[in-house]
């Protein structure tokens, strides 16, 4: 037997707004729709309702009743993100979730009550009838024995209520065998409400006809017929209703009997998490924006945590005043949910490239990925914390610039200076301690970036190869001074201009390298190793007619 | 201002301390299911076994202490012998002077990354060659390459990477100090503290001594001598460079010991060369300086 649950958020437009501005909860706030003289109240907080502010009043009428009323317009971004958050909570209970919009979500909980069964029922203080909340409901009346499934579904519903409270949405929960009955049960003031299987008609009978909305467009007509409750409608013959009201009437009659043939239409999982907000007035300073952004990122992080995701890429769009958008993206070195890390990266990006105009709204989109687990190791090397690593690399990039920090990689090619810088993302360390690999003992070279142009004199040698007789640096800037001796330390300052040049004592080469032979302009070079009389061993190459020194063998 | 969405009593909790929640009912202490048999078993455990039992937190602390006492070998046998096994973890070691400092840096990076540790190279002279590094055995996936412009950026980057959790951080200043103001000595003290508090191994390679008393050990490299294969007018190939290393300072060893290391060129390793240098083992190459080559320079 199918069991469906309905999450229903009363006054959803108000709840979505208060989720973004929780400090307004105890204020007299009215949500307004429309502009100018058409502005009217669609929802109001309890404090405002006590003063007579009801949905349907114009804004002017509302202000007459309560001059200090705080009016807020409907925020589409807030409502969309609140609906997304509600869907994500539902998805933690069941993978089959239907988005009915406006704070209503259906989910298939068939068999889910087994996860909430109470094995300790019967012991003191656990699962006893004294814990039942709906003591007035006939379904939980102690005079009518209920199966264990009912208890389990109640626990499931209470867990759902707690989960909705955790994301700052005051929801109600109803469980029944059809979407219609589940929704009607969720809309009841007392929550949660569980309708036993096969009891839908009995449950609906005493309720007023208005509970069948939005299906009940003909409610007014039925009331003129003298029908007051759903049970009254259900008692009438179906053919009579259908002959007067047509197909709509037939559907209404089925609904009155608790028959809802509509199946659950589950939605696919969203590929991204979104949070956003429209601001009441433009923000020109960075700190107030980051203050609000911190709260939004915190909500985003909690939503990702519910589903076991972390943020791999954060995209944020700023709505500018008077018009325009500023869209940016931050790639994180490792998936993270740390709000501080994301806020730091956002701050660095905004400081580096300010939007250039006041900000009147924002939208964050987090592209999810499974978080990288950094497990403490007892026997092997410990892993670097991915979140610390992301923040450190971002700070280093902001200090040193792009392309100065990263993982070096070789590029497929023959020329020795080719390399690339990629995002540093180390693999996990081994589980057990290893012995270090034996060193190959290779002599290192210090590369000059860019290569230094030189002037070369050559001499003839045996065979066809020539030999280099002397070299002279053509560069004006510092090339490579000899390391200072203890007596000359004071003369060798940072940035001193010393040339590479002199008579060559030993010359070794050439080694020829050719790359891109298939292209119109292949790169053909000849390399020599030269030792100078004054000291130093350098790597010299000729490309075309020009000579360069591109490395020094360390000495 | 409505956009300031935080309430003072939640943001500044010192203004009003939250109430201390007390349970309405004092919970009854319940035995964890251990019956009389378990209690008797515990009582019969020998004192020697019971004394070796330790809690989980104690075990983690002991492992961390053990890690700090370990040595990171550079896998250059003469150098490791000079340092008493290798670079001390959680300490700063300095190599200064002329000679094959950068080759020692590359070998140390290869040793650390080969055992799965994350390493950072603060390359102040921007002279690192990834192709050669890969050939030398460095696992480039575990290497963070940082290229600062000034001395201040160099020290800052080293501090940040050490505090992040990198097991090995190497500062290479090249053949001369980077441009910018000289950093105060306190910067090296701070760096040494970062190494100690995070268990990082820091190696400073500089043209002259910089760290002073803050380093655990200091090695002076001097008298570099290139070795060439071939003689007179015969084709020459650079075999490698030989350097003398002297232990100038060590907290636990007697200074003054010297050794010699020889780093060879990759081309000279090939077995097709006439001198047959290529097939020698690493230890033989490092320790044997009597190569059939032309020594073109006198010891300086």
């Amino acid at each position: 037997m199918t069991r469906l649950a309905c999450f229903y958020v009363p006054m959803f437009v108000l709840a979505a707004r208060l989720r973004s501005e929780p400090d307004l909860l105890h204020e007299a706030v009215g949500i307004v729709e429309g502009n100018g003289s058409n502005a009217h109240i669609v929802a109001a907080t309890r404090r405002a309702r006590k003063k007579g502010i009801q949905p349907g009043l114009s804004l002017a009428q509302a202000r007459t009743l309560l001059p200090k009323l705080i009016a807020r317009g409907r925020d589409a971004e807030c409502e969309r993100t609140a609906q997304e958050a509600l869907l994500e909570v539902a998805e933690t209970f069941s993978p089959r979730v239907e988005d009915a919009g406006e704070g209503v979500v259906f989910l298939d909980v068939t068999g889910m009550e087994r996860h909430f069964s109470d094995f300790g029922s019967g012991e003191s203080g656990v699962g006893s009838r004294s814990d039942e909340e709906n003591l007035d409901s006939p379904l939980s009346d102690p005079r009518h024995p209920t199966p264990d499934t009912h208890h389990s579904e109640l626990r499931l519903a209470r867990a759902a209520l707690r989960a909705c409270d955790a994301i700052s949405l005051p929801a109600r929960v109803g469980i029944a065998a059809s979407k219609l009955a589940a929704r009607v049960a969720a809309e009841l003031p007392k929550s949660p409400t569980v309708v036993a299987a096969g009891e839908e008609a009995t449950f609906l009978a005493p309720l007023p006809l208005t509970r069948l909305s939005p299906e009940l467009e003909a409610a007014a007509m039925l009331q003129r017929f003298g029908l007051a409750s759903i049970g009254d409608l259900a008692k009438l013959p179906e053919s009579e209703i259908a002959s007067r009201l047509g197909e709509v009437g037939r559907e209404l009659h089925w609904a009155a009997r608790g028959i809802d043939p509509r199946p659950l239409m589950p939605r696919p999982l969203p590929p991204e998490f979104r949070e956003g907000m429209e601001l009441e007035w433009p923000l020109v300073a960075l700190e107030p924006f980051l203050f609000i952004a911190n709260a939004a990122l915190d909500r985003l992080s909690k939503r990702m945590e519910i589903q076991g995701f972390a943020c791999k890429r954060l995209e944020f769009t700023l709505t500018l005043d008077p018009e325009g958008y500023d869209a940016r993206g931050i790639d994180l070195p490792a998936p993270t949910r740390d709000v501080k890390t994301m806020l730091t990266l956002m701050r660095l990006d905004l400081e580096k490239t300010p939007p250039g105009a006041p900000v009147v709204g924002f939208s964050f989109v987090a592209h999810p990925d499974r978080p990288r687990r950094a497990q403490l190791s007892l026997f092997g090397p410990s892993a670097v914390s991915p979140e610390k690593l992301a923040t450190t690399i971002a700070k280093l990039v902001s200090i040193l610039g792009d392309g100065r920090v990263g993982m070096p990689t070789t590029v497929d090619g023959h020329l020795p200076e080719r390399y690339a810088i990629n995002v540093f993302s180390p693999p996990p360390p081994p589980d057990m301690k290893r012995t270090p690999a034996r060193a190959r003992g290779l002599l290192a070279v210090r590369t000059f970036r860019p290569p230094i142009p030189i002037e070369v004199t050559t001499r003839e040698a045996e065979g066809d190869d020539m030999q280099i007789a002397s070299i002279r640096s053509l560069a004006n800037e510092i090339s490579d001074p000899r390391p200072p001796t203890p007596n000359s330390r004071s003369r060798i300052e940072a940035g001193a201009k010393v040339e590479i040049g002199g008579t060559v004592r030993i010359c070794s080469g050439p080694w020829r390298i050719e790359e891109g032979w298939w292209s119109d302009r292949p790169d053909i070079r000849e390399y020599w190793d030269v030792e100078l009389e004054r000291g130093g061993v350098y790597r010299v190459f000729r490309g075309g007619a020009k000579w360069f020194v591109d490395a020094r063998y360390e000495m | 201002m409505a956009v300031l969405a935080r309430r003072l009593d939640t943001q500044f909790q010192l203004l009003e301390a939250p109430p201390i929640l007390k349970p309405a009912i004092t919970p009854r202490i319940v035995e964890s299911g251990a019956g009389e048999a378990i209690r008797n078993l515990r009582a019969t455990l020998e004192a020697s076994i019971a004394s070796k039992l330790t809690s989980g937190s104690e075990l983690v602390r002991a492992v961390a202490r053990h890690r700090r006492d370990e040595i990171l070998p550079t896998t250059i046998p003469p150098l490791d012998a000079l340092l008493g096994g290798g670079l001390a973890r959680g300490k700063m070691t300095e190599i200064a002077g002329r000679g094959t400092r950068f080759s020692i840096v590359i070998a140390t990076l290869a040793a650390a990354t080969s055992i799965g540790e994350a390493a950072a190279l603060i390359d102040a002279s921007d002279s690192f060659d990834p192709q050669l590094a890969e050939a030398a055995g460095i696992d480039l996936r575990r290497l963070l390459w940082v290229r600062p412009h000034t001395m201040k950026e160099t020290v800052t980057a080293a501090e940040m990477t050490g505090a992040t959790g990198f097991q090995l951080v190497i500062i290479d200043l090249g053949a001369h100090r980077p441009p910018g103001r000289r950093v105060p000595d306190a910067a090296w003290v701070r760096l040494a503290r970062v190494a100690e508090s995070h268990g990082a191994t820091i190696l400073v390679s500089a043209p002259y001594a910089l760290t002073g008393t803050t380093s655990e050990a200091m090695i002076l490299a001097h008298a570099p001598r290139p070795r060439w294969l071939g003689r007179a007018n015969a084709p020459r190939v650079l075999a490698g460079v030989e350097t003398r290393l002297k232990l100038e300072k060590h907290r636990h060893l007697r200074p003054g010991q010297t050794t010699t290391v020889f780093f060879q060129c990759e081309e000279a390793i090939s077995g097709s060369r006439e001198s047959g240098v290529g097939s020698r083992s690493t230890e033989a190459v490092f320790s044997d300086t009597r190569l059939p080559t032309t020594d073109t320079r006198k010891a300086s």
Side-chain angles (χ1 to χ4, degrees):
Chain A
M1 170 79 61
T2 301
R3 300 294 288 167
L4 300 178
C6 177
F7 292 1
Y8 169 69
V9 179
M11 291 186 287
F12 176 69
V13 294
L14 176 64
R17 192 67 174 186
L18 293 178
R19 180 171 173 265
S20 301
E21 296 182 67
D23 59 327
L24 297 179
L25 178 62
H26 301 292
E27 305 292 334
V29 179
I31 304 298
V32 177
E33 191 174 34
N35 296 321
S37 58
N38 295 327
H40 58 278
I41 301 291
V42 294
T45 58
R46 181 176 299 181
R47 191 167 176 177
R49 293 199 302 272
K50 283 182 180 177
K51 299 291 184 181
I53 307 299
Q54 298 295 335
L57 285 178
S58 68
L59 181 58
Q61 291 172 328
R63 288 216 185 274
T64 305
L65 291 173
L66 183 62
K68 291 186 179 179
L69 176 73
I70 299 174
R72 289 281 184 270
R74 285 190 70 165
D75 190 333
E77 190 65 28
C78 279
E79 292 174 21
R80 192 169 54 75
T81 56
Q83 184 72 13
E84 280 289 333
L86 190 64
L87 286 163
E88 286 156 14
V89 167
E91 282 163 356
T92 62
F93 291 89
S94 171
R96 289 168 48 83
V97 172
E98 177 183 338
D99 182 5
E102 294 289 323
V104 178
V105 169
F106 294 101
L107 58 158
D108 188 348
V109 294
T110 308
M112 297 295 171
E113 75 283 354
R114 282 175 285 188
H115 295 290
F116 295 87
S117 61
D118 178 21
F119 294 103
S121 62
E123 291 185 5
S124 60
V126 180
S128 65
R129 290 196 184 277
S130 60
D131 286 342
E132 292 292 340
E133 292 183 4
N134 297 331
L135 293 177
D136 295 334
S137 166
L139 297 171
S140 62
D141 192 334
R143 292 172 296 178
H144 300 274
T146 55
D148 290 339
T149 305
H150 177 72
H151 291 278
S152 302
E153 287 182 340
L154 273 173
R155 287 188 203 95
L156 186 156
R158 289 189 200 118
L161 287 175
R162 287 193 294 270
C164 291
D165 285 340
I167 60 168
S168 307
L169 282 177
R172 297 176 188 167
V173 179
I175 299 179
S178 65
K179 286 166 58 174
L180 171 69
R183 176 167 181 163
V184 174
E187 289 176 350
L188 293 179
K190 284 190 176 179
S191 185
T193 303
V194 176
V195 181
E199 299 288 332
E200 289 81 15
T202 308
F203 165 69
L204 291 172
L207 300 176
L209 280 169
T210 52
R211 288 286 181 185
L212 288 182
S213 65
E215 292 84 3
L216 200 66
E217 294 181 355
M221 182 186 297
L222 291 174
Q223 284 178 349
R224 285 199 296 273
F225 290 165
L227 303 176
S229 68
I230 298 176
D232 295 338
L233 177 61
K235 291 174 188 173
L236 297 176
E238 178 183 340
S239 57
E240 295 295 327
I241 297 296
S243 65
R244 285 168 174 78
L245 299 179
E247 192 62 30
V248 173
R250 188 190 303 277
E251 291 175 359
L252 282 172
H253 198 262
W254 284 355
R257 289 182 290 159
I259 300 172
D260 185 3
R262 295 174 303 167
L264 190 74
M265 303 291 289
R267 69 157 198 167
L269 288 176
E272 60 193 29
F273 294 81
R274 189 183 293 265
E275 279 286 341
M277 193 172 168
E278 292 176 5
L279 305 175
E280 288 300 312
W281 48 78
L283 291 179
V284 295
L286 180 62
E287 287 303 324
F289 171 74
L290 292 177
F291 191 79
I292 302 171
N294 184 54
L297 287 175
D298 189 56
R299 293 194 295 271
L300 206 61
S301 176
K302 285 179 181 168
R303 288 171 56 189
M304 287 190 288
E305 186 178 4
I306 287 173
Q307 296 209 33
F309 285 113
C311 178
K312 174 71 175 165
R313 174 177 169 80
L314 179 66
E315 293 177 354
F316 53 104
T317 304
L318 306 176
T319 307
L320 305 177
D321 181 52
E323 62 180 5
Y325 296 92
D326 186 335
R328 301 155 184 250
I330 299 173
D331 287 310
L332 297 164
T336 180
R337 286 193 294 262
D338 183 51
V339 175
K340 196 175 175 184
T341 299
M342 289 189 279
L343 199 66
T344 301
L345 296 175
M346 186 182 299
R347 173 195 291 271
L348 293 173
D349 190 81
L350 288 171
E351 284 176 347
K352 185 179 170 186
T353 317
V359 175
V360 294
F362 63 89
S363 171
F364 296 154
V365 176
H367 294 271
D369 194 359
R370 293 295 173 186
R372 191 176 299 165
R373 305 294 175 193
Q375 185 174 353
L376 293 178
S377 171
L378 284 178
F379 305 106
S382 54
V384 181
S385 165
E387 294 171 356
K388 276 187 185 176
L389 181 65
T391 304
T392 298
I393 290 180
K395 286 181 180 174
L396 284 172
V397 170
S398 70
I399 295 172
L400 304 177
D402 292 329
R404 306 294 293 188
V405 182
M407 177 184 74
T409 53
T410 54
V411 176
D412 191 15
H414 296 291
L415 298 181
E417 71 271 15
R418 292 202 191 281
Y419 71 94
I421 298 278
N422 290 336
V423 174
F424 181 68
S425 180
D431 295 331
M432 299 298 293
K433 190 176 173 181
R434 291 182 192 166
T435 305
R438 292 162 64 173
R440 293 192 63 200
L442 288 185
L443 179 65
V445 295
R446 290 194 180 272
T447 308
F448 296 138
R449 293 191 179 96
I452 301 169
I454 57 173
E455 187 181 67
V456 168
T457 56
T458 61
R459 62 169 183 266
E460 294 299 324
E462 292 183 7
D464 296 332
D465 295 330
M466 65 179 175
Q467 295 294 308
I468 299 174
S470 66
I471 64 175
R472 185 178 71 87
S473 169
L474 297 177
N476 294 326
E477 295 300 324
I478 183 172
S479 53
D480 174 52
R482 277 183 300 171
T485 59
N487 292 333
S488 64
R489 181 188 303 181
S490 59
R491 292 189 282 113
I492 304 298
E493 296 296 337
K497 295 180 172 51
V498 178
E499 289 188 354
I500 294 176
T503 307
V504 171
R505 176 179 294 170
I506 296 178
C507 176
S508 169
W511 285 273
R512 292 188 175 86
I513 293 179
E514 184 177 351
E515 190 175 270
W517 57 266
W518 55 89
S519 61
D520 294 335
R521 302 179 70 175
D523 212 332
I524 302 174
R525 296 183 185 178
E526 293 178 338
Y527 283 84
W528 281 265
D529 293 332
V530 298
E531 181 185 351
L532 301 181
E533 291 280 355
R534 60 186 292 190
V537 181
Y538 298 89
R539 189 172 71 196
V540 172
F541 74 88
R542 178 173 66 175
K546 296 184 180 178
W547 291 82
F548 300 90
V549 57
D550 72 339
R552 181 174 68 89
Y553 290 94
E554 205 192 17
M555 283 184 56
Chain B
M1 182 177 177
V3 293
L4 296 177
R6 294 292 177 88
R7 294 159 61 103
L8 288 178
D9 59 352
T10 57
Q11 185 176 7
F12 302 102
Q13 293 189 358
L14 292 177
L15 293 178
E16 184 177 310
I20 300 174
L21 300 178
K22 295 183 180 178
I25 303 172
T26 304
R28 182 166 58 92
I29 298 173
V30 178
E31 286 291 333
S32 62
E36 192 66 24
I38 299 295
R39 285 193 289 272
N40 291 338
L41 180 61
R42 284 178 179 168
T44 56
L45 280 176
E46 292 186 9
S48 59
I49 298 175
S51 65
K52 290 179 183 175
L53 293 176
T54 182
S55 65
S57 59
E58 273 299 322
L59 180 63
V60 172
R61 279 196 287 271
V63 169
R65 276 197 303 272
H66 179 67
R67 280 213 182 104
R68 288 172 197 275
D69 296 336
E70 285 183 349
I71 297 286
L72 172 65
T74 64
T75 66
I76 304 171
L79 179 58
D80 285 341
L82 205 62
L83 290 171
L87 303 175
R89 291 194 186 273
K91 305 290 181 187
M92 191 159 62
T93 304
E94 185 178 14
I95 296 182
R98 296 176 56 192
T100 52
R101 287 185 287 113
F102 204 46
S103 305
I104 294 173
V105 164
I106 297 295
T108 307
L109 286 172
T113 57
S114 70
I115 60 176
E117 294 187 353
L121 172 64
I122 316 300
D123 187 8
S125 59
D126 194 11
S127 51
F128 179 71
D129 183 357
Q131 288 193 21
L132 178 72
E134 194 174 57
I138 295 178
D139 185 352
L140 295 178
R141 300 171 304 163
R142 301 185 191 276
L143 176 64
L144 178 68
W145 186 19
V146 182
R147 299 185 289 170
H149 302 95
T150 65
M151 195 65 187
K152 184 180 176 186
E153 289 177 358
T154 301
V155 177
T156 301
E159 218 174 305
M160 290 170 68
T161 49
T164 301
F166 283 82
Q167 286 90 4
L168 174 66
V169 177
I170 296 184
I171 301 173
D172 179 72
L173 299 181
H176 57 92
R177 183 166 57 85
R181 283 189 178 181
R182 182 178 172 276
V183 294
D185 293 338
W188 303 111
V189 174
R190 211 164 47 240
L191 206 55
R193 283 186 185 158
V194 166
E196 189 159 353
S197 60
H198 295 276
T201 303
I202 297 183
L203 175 64
V204 179
S205 169
Y208 43 86
L210 284 174
T211 61
T213 57
T214 58
S215 56
E216 176 81 358
M218 195 276 206
I219 299 282
L220 180 66
H222 62 104
R225 285 187 288 177
R227 302 294 185 102
W228 294 86
L229 298 175
R231 294 175 184 276
N233 294 328
R236 305 278 189 107
V237 174
L238 181 63
V241 175
E242 176 189 282
T243 303
R244 284 201 188 153
L245 302 177
K246 180 183 177 184
L247 182 65
E248 287 283 323
K249 183 190 82 169
H250 199 290
R251 285 198 200 278
H252 305 291
L253 300 176
R254 179 177 292 183
Q257 303 172 54
T258 61
T259 188
T260 304
V261 292
F262 176 77
F263 290 93
Q264 55 185 343
C265 290
E266 190 165 19
E267 292 80 12
I269 294 177
S270 168
S272 64
R273 298 295 173 193
E274 294 180 1
S275 62
V277 175
S279 58
R280 299 161 64 89
S281 65
T282 303
E283 289 80 5
V285 169
F286 280 129
S287 61
D288 186 3
T289 58
R290 295 177 292 106
L291 296 172
T293 61
T294 300
D295 184 359
T296 59
R297 292 179 60 88
K298 296 179 182 177
S300 59

